[in-house]
Amino acid sequence: MGDIKELFLFSYNELKKVKTITTVAMFVALSIILGAFTVPIGNFLKIGFSSLTTVGIGYLFGPIVGSIFGAITDIAKYMIKPTGPFFPGFTFNAIIAGLIYGSLLYKKPVSIKRILIAEILVSYICNIMLGTLWLNILYGKAFLAILPMRAVKNIILIPINSFMAFAILKFMEQHNLRKNFD
């Protein structure tokens, strides 16, 4: 229990550093740029890689900063390029994703197992279950009608996202980028 409390406390203390704030701002900009390259596949599916920025922020600064980053990024992306109506459920998903990545990756060695677990949790909780629920609420589409295609897409993307996250985090680890923020 103490480890979790310490993890959140360390992450909270990251917010007091100017380097953290400026790095998060750059990652928000990077996420917006990557979001511009999102490919829509029908009305209820899209493929993009801006979530890699959330992985990086979670790794560097932990769950508190990751959650705040998720919320800011989601709102900023909507303000710059709205795709449909604003819905706070998707902002909640971004917060949860930042929390998951930060909790599993912060102050821990990079491992494919840890990244895979994080990707599976984010895919299942945020994308498959909650994302489908939000679409159901927003558009009135039957939850079970859109669930299978969203589940298949996310299952296919888990190894792809995991590999990309592993490559990026391994690079960050090998170049001691996290130590620049201690």
Side-chain angles (χ1 to χ4, degrees):
M1 179 70 177
D3 291 340
I4 294 171
K5 184 178 177 182
E6 277 183 19
L7 184 77
F8 279 78
L9 184 60
F10 283 137
S11 181
Y12 172 75
N13 286 329
E14 295 281 5
L15 290 170
K16 299 175 183 177
K17 301 174 185 174
V18 174
K19 273 186 176 181
T20 301
I21 303 303
T22 55
T23 304
V24 167
M26 286 188 289
F27 271 71
V28 168
L30 181 60
S31 183
I32 291 167
I33 292 166
L34 288 173
F37 296 103
T38 299
V39 178
I41 304 171
N43 293 330
F44 303 107
L45 288 178
K46 57 185 176 179
I47 296 175
F49 300 104
S50 62
S51 66
L52 291 171
T53 56
T54 309
V55 172
I57 289 294
Y59 171 76
L60 291 172
F61 304 115
I64 300 295
V65 178
S67 296
I68 293 168
F69 170 81
I72 290 169
T73 302
D74 183 72
I75 293 166
K77 281 182 187 176
Y78 180 79
M79 291 173 72
I80 290 169
K81 185 182 176 195
T83 55
F86 178 78
F87 187 72
F90 293 114
T91 305
F92 179 69
N93 282 10
I95 292 168
I96 297 299
L99 182 75
I100 290 170
Y101 288 128
S103 296
L104 292 172
L105 303 174
Y106 183 56
K107 294 199 177 275
K108 296 178 177 90
V110 175
S111 77
I112 194 68
K113 179 181 175 185
R114 188 172 284 113
I115 292 168
L116 246 165
I117 290 168
E119 287 295 338
I120 290 168
L121 287 173
V122 168
S123 289
Y124 180 73
I125 295 168
C126 299
N127 302 341
I128 297 172
M129 298 310 294
L130 290 176
T132 306
L133 176 63
W134 306 146
L135 290 171
N136 169 261
I137 291 169
L138 265 173
Y139 299 111
K141 298 294 178 185
F143 183 89
L144 293 176
I146 58 177
L147 181 67
M149 69 177 164
R150 292 182 53 79
V152 167
K153 179 209 93 163
N154 278 279
I155 290 168
I156 290 169
L157 285 179
I158 286 171
I160 296 166
N161 289 342
S162 297
F163 173 76
M164 288 189 305
F166 180 76
I168 290 167
L169 295 185
K170 227 19 174 170
F171 176 85
M172 292 170 85
E173 183 181 63
Q174 288 171 348
H175 290 84
N176 293 322
L177 294 181
R178 186 171 16 202
K179 295 200 191 263
N180 291 334
F181 299 101
D182 288 335

